[in-house]
Amino acid sequence: MPEKKISIIGLPASGKTTYIAALWALMLNNSPHCSLLLNSLKSGNQQYLNKISEAWLSFSEIGRTFLAKDVGEVVMNLQYKDSQKVAVLNIPDFFGELFDAHFKDREWTEDYLDLMKSSRQLILFVDPYHENNIARTIMDERQILEQYADLENVMEESAEQKQRGTEENKESGKVDTKESKPPLANAKIYQHINSSNQVKLVEILQYLLFSLSRAEPFKIAIVVSKWDKVMENFPNKRPDEVVKRNLPLLYQFLNCNASDLIFKFFGVSAQGVDYHNTDGLDEFVKMLPEDRVNIFDGVNYSKDIATPITWLLE
């Protein structure tokens, strides 16, 4: 049987780096709570992987000390502990800038297209607490639309006033020496970064379905990161319910394309606690690193950081 290839995708600050840091540390230390081993690092910056895993082990925030070009693409050959079964894990972009650029520029590179052609299994990371993922009401959206509408109206009125002034000056023979000022100078102008993350994620998946063969469905593990925070705020919620509430467009897209997408939701807490929560941190410092991990598939909890990967390999 040919080896399966899994790609990790997600926008900036969605939890990918913390997850990889925990996975790398636990595989290298042969943790009993990790069902996979590192067979080899096919490509990638091992110095960076060691650095982020050390930060994870020491309860330090994983800062961006490397540039994207210095980290590059990472490819790991993984192996089950109890068999010779091998899989390839590919992280094309740690920082998520590649996927953000896909939305902004509306194009893919040939290398990325080739990678997607060879990967029928994906791990898609979402952060439910990202400001672009927090559920908003119709009134919230109305205020945003009104702001852009106001800007458009002001621009139109300004143009009309300028035209009237020009015509009046021509009739009177006066020369207008006043410097025109841009209307609504402090107004918020739309940029792609302001778009909802769920719109960007749906675009990523639409590109896949449009560009690649549908002879066999894509299998996607949707990882809802910061699950420790979700458990604290919504103790009875399942990962799919969180996505349905905070990213309804993504949730609807997945379900409407169920013939082409096999998907499962996972709540993942790779670090176990908010590092800014000093009260909770004292308790976690006493734990073994692997005991901080929590994975919830909607039914059962697990300490195995590789759970989303092993589901994809089933």
Side-chain angles (χ1 to χ4, degrees):
M1 179 181 292
E3 61 186 13
K4 289 190 175 182
K5 295 182 179 180
I6 299 170
S7 291
I8 289 182
I9 61 177
L11 296 172
S14 58
K16 300 184 301 297
T17 303
T18 303
Y19 179 83
I20 294 300
L23 178 68
W24 181 259
L26 296 178
M27 286 194 303
L28 290 187
N29 288 283
N30 195 18
S31 167
H33 291 322
C34 184
S35 54
L36 296 174
L37 291 170
L38 178 68
N39 181 284
S40 63
L41 180 64
K42 187 174 181 180
S43 66
N45 189 323
Q46 186 169 348
Q47 181 186 0
Y48 177 73
L49 292 168
N50 291 338
K51 194 175 187 68
I52 61 174
S53 66
E54 288 168 7
W56 179 80
L57 288 167
S58 61
F59 291 88
S60 301
E61 287 202 51
I62 299 174
R64 185 165 175 168
T65 56
F66 285 70
L67 297 175
K69 65 180 179 63
D70 296 327
V71 177
E73 181 183 33
V74 173
V75 182
M76 303 180 192
N77 291 322
L78 309 181
Q79 181 178 333
Y80 275 98
K81 286 182 177 180
D82 55 0
S83 74
Q84 296 300 310
K85 190 175 180 181
V86 177
V88 178
L89 182 66
N90 191 295
I91 307 109
D93 176 23
F94 261 89
F95 304 131
E97 293 173 348
L98 176 68
F99 309 107
D100 206 39
H102 289 168
F103 179 79
K104 177 186 176 184
D105 301 330
R106 320 291 291 177
E107 63 182 15
W108 281 356
T109 63
E110 289 292 335
D111 289 342
Y112 183 78
L113 180 60
D114 291 340
L115 172 63
M116 291 296 103
K117 285 180 179 178
S118 65
S119 301
R120 303 300 296 194
Q121 292 81 26
L122 305 173
I123 303 179
L124 175 64
F125 278 78
V126 298
D127 174 5
Y129 289 98
H130 191 285
E131 61 180 357
N132 280 2
N133 285 340
I134 296 174
R136 298 193 292 256
T137 66
I138 291 176
M139 292 305 297
D140 294 329
E141 302 301 336
R142 180 180 175 182
Q143 290 174 0
I144 294 172
L145 290 173
E146 285 177 348
Q147 185 180 34
Y148 292 126
D150 288 344
L151 177 60
E152 185 177 348
N153 291 336
V154 171
M155 295 290 284
E156 289 177 356
E157 290 174 6
S158 175
E160 291 173 1
Q161 290 171 359
K162 186 175 181 180
Q163 180 64 27
R164 284 197 300 269
T166 301
E167 292 172 355
E168 291 172 358
N169 288 338
K170 283 182 179 179
E171 293 175 0
S172 62
K174 294 180 180 179
V175 178
D176 187 3
T177 58
K178 294 181 180 178
E179 183 181 353
S180 61
K181 296 182 179 179
L184 215 60
N186 295 324
K188 181 180 179 182
I189 306 300
Y190 170 78
Q191 294 179 319
H192 83 281
I193 196 172
N194 302 127
S195 294
S196 173
N197 281 356
Q198 62 179 332
V199 173
K200 298 177 184 179
L201 294 173
V202 166
E203 280 285 78
I204 290 173
L205 297 178
Q206 282 189 141
Y207 291 160
L208 288 173
L209 295 181
F210 178 78
S211 304
L212 305 178
S213 168
R214 301 190 191 186
E216 60 177 304
F218 280 94
K219 196 171 182 181
I220 306 178
I222 297 96
V223 168
V224 181
S225 59
K226 295 184 180 176
W227 193 250
D228 53 289
K229 193 171 181 179
V230 176
M231 288 191 295
E232 182 180 340
N233 296 327
F234 307 101
N236 298 318
K237 288 284 187 183
R238 302 190 310 270
D240 61 305
E241 293 174 325
V242 173
V243 173
K244 183 178 182 179
R245 179 183 183 275
N246 285 36
L247 297 93
L249 179 65
L250 175 62
Y251 182 85
Q252 292 168 17
F253 179 84
L254 292 167
N255 283 279
C256 289
N257 290 276
S259 59
D260 296 309
L261 302 171
I262 300 171
F263 55 90
K264 186 172 183 177
F265 298 90
F266 296 87
V268 173
S269 175
Q271 65 186 36
V273 66
D274 183 353
Y275 292 159
H276 299 289
N277 180 6
T278 53
D279 293 334
L281 192 58
D282 292 338
E283 178 185 345
F284 276 82
V285 169
K286 302 173 185 176
M287 290 184 176
L288 292 172
E290 55 261 35
D291 291 334
R292 294 155 48 191
V293 173
N294 262 315
I295 313 288
F296 183 46
D297 66 2
V299 178
N300 299 308
Y301 274 93
S302 170
K303 293 291 185 182
D304 185 356
I305 190 71
T307 299
I309 300 173
T310 55
W311 175 77
L312 289 170
L313 297 176
E314 291 176 355

